[in-house]
Amino acid sequence: MCVHSGEAIVLRRAAWWAAAAMTAVCLVLLQGADAPSGGVPLPRPLPPDAVEAVVPDRVGTWNICNPCGSGNDFGRATEIATYAPQVIGLQEACVRDVERIRRSLEEVYGLVYRVEYGTVLRNWNRCGGLPWRPGGYGQAILSAAPMTDRVSVEYPVGGSEDRGYLAVTTLVGGRPVRVFNTHLAERRQGEVRAGQIEVLATEVARHERAIVLGDFNAVPDAPELAPMWALAPDTDPGCHPSNTDADTDVCTATTDWDSTFDYVFLRGITPSTHHVRPSPYSDHHLLYTDLNDGASPAPR
């Protein structure tokens, strides 16, 4: 068949536009799959030592760094999936970010977590949304087991920003326990933190078995932490309030600026191991602790 030059040009242009359209569709599909807010993220392999399932007697805490951006949500999910605690408390958590993290944990890594929120702010600049419907910001607790008796308390004095604690009852190691998650006032506001810890400690003292997670914004020997130390030891075996300036290096730093601000306090429960894992997705490290309190860890 003979094709005239004009017809050939038309055919070439049609073919070019078809190829361009197909390329655009592929790019949209790929971007949508990897975008934090669209579709199922592209699978990323977990490290070789990652656990295979949720560890029933493992608890964790992580300040996920709100200024670090929602673009890190899939990376944050990957970090949580690597260690897969039964319960983890998140601070500086926007509801939208936590939902993305939960979706990736389930759809990519097969880990199903329930969630409860302790929102203390609704802030468009922090968490997005519409100006008249800003996103929620505060604490969140993820648990592989159902949670009951949720209580969310905003401290009477927040300091430079509203702060509070979230508490639930859930199962850890197959046994019920009261879990608290908090974020205290900024590091230069010790007097404000003292008032906040008084509120928190009063509630923790009501329970024979409790786990207190969070970013306390205070080093171990800070005087305002004394009520917590009186109720429950931290799971870091080298970290205690009697440390002096000369031996504070026995506490494992939990931040990028080499301070110990994050804790897992245990009341009526014995810890087994304590781990601190730096992460590129936050300026705080992810902490997790295995407990001598029930079921054995899941196989690795």
Side-chain angles (χ1 to χ4, degrees):
M1 179 178 67
C2 180
V3 179
H4 296 291
S5 59
E7 294 174 332
I9 292 173
V10 171
L11 291 173
R12 283 198 298 271
R13 287 178 177 173
W16 185 90
W17 280 109
M22 183 61 69
T23 300
V25 169
C26 291
L27 287 174
V28 168
L29 290 174
L30 288 173
Q31 290 173 353
D34 200 35
S37 60
V40 180
L42 293 174
R44 296 182 189 177
L46 295 175
D49 60 347
V51 296
E52 297 175 0
V54 168
V55 183
D57 54 4
R58 178 171 291 175
V59 296
T61 183
W62 194 16
N63 182 322
I64 59 175
C65 180
N66 173 262
C68 295
S70 60
N72 287 325
D73 287 340
F74 186 35
R76 292 163 175 161
T78 304
E79 293 282 298
I80 295 171
T82 299
Y83 312 110
Q86 172 78 8
V87 171
I88 185 167
L90 304 178
Q91 303 89 44
E92 295 192 15
C94 291
V95 171
R96 288 179 176 84
D97 288 337
V98 175
E99 289 306 311
R100 293 185 186 108
I101 291 169
R102 287 182 66 221
R103 186 163 61 245
S104 295
L105 284 167
E106 181 172 0
E107 296 179 352
V108 178
Y109 300 114
L111 301 175
V112 179
Y113 283 97
R114 285 87 167 174
V115 65
E116 291 289 355
Y117 294 101
T119 295
V120 293
L121 287 174
R122 294 200 174 274
N123 190 291
W124 181 80
N125 289 328
R126 276 193 177 275
C127 296
L130 299 172
W132 56 89
R133 192 181 178 187
Y137 169 84
Q139 288 69 245
I141 293 176
L142 301 183
S143 174
M147 292 175 276
T148 60
D149 303 320
R150 170 192 172 274
V151 173
S152 180
V153 174
E154 186 174 328
Y155 294 124
V157 179
S160 56
E161 179 180 83
D162 294 345
R163 297 290 165 91
Y165 74 80
L166 170 67
V168 300
T169 298
T170 188
L171 297 179
V172 176
R175 299 181 62 188
V177 63
R178 193 65 171 167
V179 178
F180 295 82
N181 179 24
T182 192
H183 186 194
L184 300 188
E186 293 181 355
R187 68 183 84 175
R188 295 179 180 86
Q189 299 174 340
E191 292 184 2
V192 176
R193 287 196 300 275
Q196 294 171 346
I197 289 178
E198 184 178 349
V199 172
L200 176 63
T202 299
E203 183 61 27
V204 173
R206 296 179 58 246
H207 302 274
E208 293 183 0
R209 288 169 37 84
I211 299 171
V212 186
L213 312 168
D215 174 5
F216 285 72
N217 268 321
V219 295
D221 60 349
E224 64 268 24
L225 283 186
M228 281 308 308
W229 288 114
L231 288 172
D234 179 46
T235 59
D236 185 343
C239 206
H240 48 83
S242 62
N243 284 342
T244 66
D245 291 340
D247 63 5
T248 51
D249 58 349
V250 300
C251 295
T252 306
T254 67
T255 64
D256 286 353
W257 54 93
D258 296 327
S259 293
T260 302
F261 278 2
D262 307 87
Y263 301 88
V264 177
F265 290 107
L266 299 180
R267 178 171 170 82
I269 303 170
T270 304
S272 173
T273 58
H274 175 81
H275 306 270
V276 179
R277 301 297 189 222
S279 168
Y281 306 110
S282 175
D283 55 359
H284 285 250
H285 307 338
L286 189 154
L287 277 68
Y288 70 88
T289 295
D290 295 327
L291 309 178
N292 283 327
D293 198 53
S296 299
R300 295 179 179 272

